Amino acid sequence: MRSRDLDLHPDEPTAERPRSLLLAPLIVLLSLAALLGLLVASSAEGAVGTETARGTTRLLYAPGKIVPIPASIPHEEGDMVDRRILRDLRWLASKFPLYVTDGYSGPLPGGGHAGCHGCHVKGSDHYNGLAVDIVPLFGTARCDARWRGITRLARWAEPRQNRPVPPFRWVGYDGDAGHGCGHHLHLSWNHAAANPFGLAEWVEALPATLTASAARKPRGKKGGAKAEDGKNGAAQDEDDKRTEGETQGPTGGAGVSRTPTGGISARPRGSGD
């Protein structure tokens, strides 16, 4: 056998080896790209919050901002909230005949004051724009049939006294002093600790599987918002969609504080009404 014949045979396996070595990094890169796509899609809806029977809540780390409540949510003229709960409010308004009477209560950056001044307890979530007071859309100060929808909402948010279902932090209604049928329903959202009139680092929100189908048309008005509020509301609809697309932060609920606030005491504990 000639030496040149011996040189040809070893070349065949060594030609295959470089091709397989080139494919390995390509496969790794494709796998990483697919994983990154999943992470981006997940972050668009917020970090993972709490598992509930209604779905998994979201932790929204997007920057907060106190904004006017849009016309798609029946409310008293001038009411404002942290924009991160607008999607939840819009969904609630599409399912329950509600009317928001107060949201954020505190000073405004440009001067002036929003909300009911001196109406809320120390440490109230109203001071962070993460609480609302609610009455029936066409209700009265009497506990009658018009309050059935609000009672249903209160029981949906808190099936058992002092055991609100996340993302709600405190629910003030029957059994809580200064709240209840014929008075008003108070809803607070879970959030990171924040100083009065400050914005929380994160806010817990309803599962995306619920709020994705939120109606964007108002049920009606109760002698409240002016026409220009509708313009602000339309602009805010786009703003809160952009806000929820800017989520970031840890996935999982580690460090989430859900200390019960409120109860059957004369004044709610912590951040009640």
Side-chain angles (χ1 to χ4, degrees):
M1 185 178 291
R2 292 175 296 180
S3 60
R4 64 183 179 185
D5 293 331
L6 292 173
D7 293 333
L8 290 175
H9 295 289
D11 288 343
E12 292 176 3
T14 55
E16 293 297 326
R17 197 172 301 148
R19 282 200 292 270
S20 61
L21 290 175
L22 286 172
L23 284 175
L26 182 60
I27 292 170
V28 171
L29 286 173
L30 289 173
S31 301
L32 289 173
L35 180 60
L36 181 61
L38 289 173
L39 290 174
V40 170
S42 175
S43 69
E45 288 299 335
V48 177
T50 309
E51 290 283 349
T52 73
R54 299 160 187 169
T56 305
T57 63
R58 300 165 295 142
L59 300 183
L60 304 179
Y61 282 82
K65 183 180 180 182
I66 302 299
V67 298
I69 296 177
S72 54
I73 303 162
H75 64 281
E76 214 165 86
E77 182 184 350
D79 281 351
M80 307 178 80
V81 293
D82 186 313
R83 64 182 177 181
R84 291 172 291 185
I85 66 170
L86 283 178
R87 183 170 169 178
D88 286 8
L89 282 175
R90 188 178 290 109
W91 184 84
L92 292 172
S94 74
K95 301 297 180 183
F96 302 94
L98 61 80
Y99 182 82
V100 176
T101 60
D102 203 20
Y104 170 69
S105 178
L108 297 172
H113 190 281
C116 185
H117 190 62
C119 297
H120 307 291
V121 300
K122 182 180 179 181
S124 171
D125 293 322
H126 281 284
Y127 300 145
N128 306 109
L130 296 172
V132 290
D133 290 336
I134 293 171
V135 297
L137 182 57
F138 300 107
T140 64
R142 238 180 5 174
C143 182
D144 54 24
R146 295 182 179 182
W147 281 81
R148 286 176 183 168
I150 302 304
T151 300
R152 189 162 47 91
L153 170 55
R155 290 174 179 169
W156 181 83
E158 185 184 60
R160 293 177 58 194
Q161 187 77 17
N162 292 329
R163 298 288 181 88
V165 177
F168 300 110
R169 176 178 174 86
W170 188 65
V171 178
Y173 201 59
D174 290 341
D176 299 304
H179 302 76
C181 184
H183 202 289
H184 78 280
L185 165 66
H186 170 98
L187 294 178
S188 290
W189 274 253
N190 284 323
H191 60 85
N195 294 325
F197 317 121
L199 297 169
E201 179 189 3
W202 55 260
V203 177
E204 190 169 14
L206 286 169
T209 49
L210 285 181
T211 58
S213 60
R216 306 189 76 80
K217 292 183 180 179
R219 279 176 174 265
K221 292 185 180 180
K222 185 180 175 182
K226 292 181 179 179
E228 52 265 30
D229 177 65
K231 293 178 184 178
N232 290 338
Q236 184 54 42
D237 283 352
E238 295 303 315
D239 190 29
D240 84 287
K241 282 195 294 183
R242 287 195 299 271
T243 297
E244 294 200 0
E246 296 168 358
T247 52
Q248 57 186 352
T251 56
V256 179
S257 172
R258 297 187 183 84
T259 305
T261 56
I264 315 179
S265 55
R267 291 172 70 86
R269 299 185 301 273
S271 54
D273 203 6

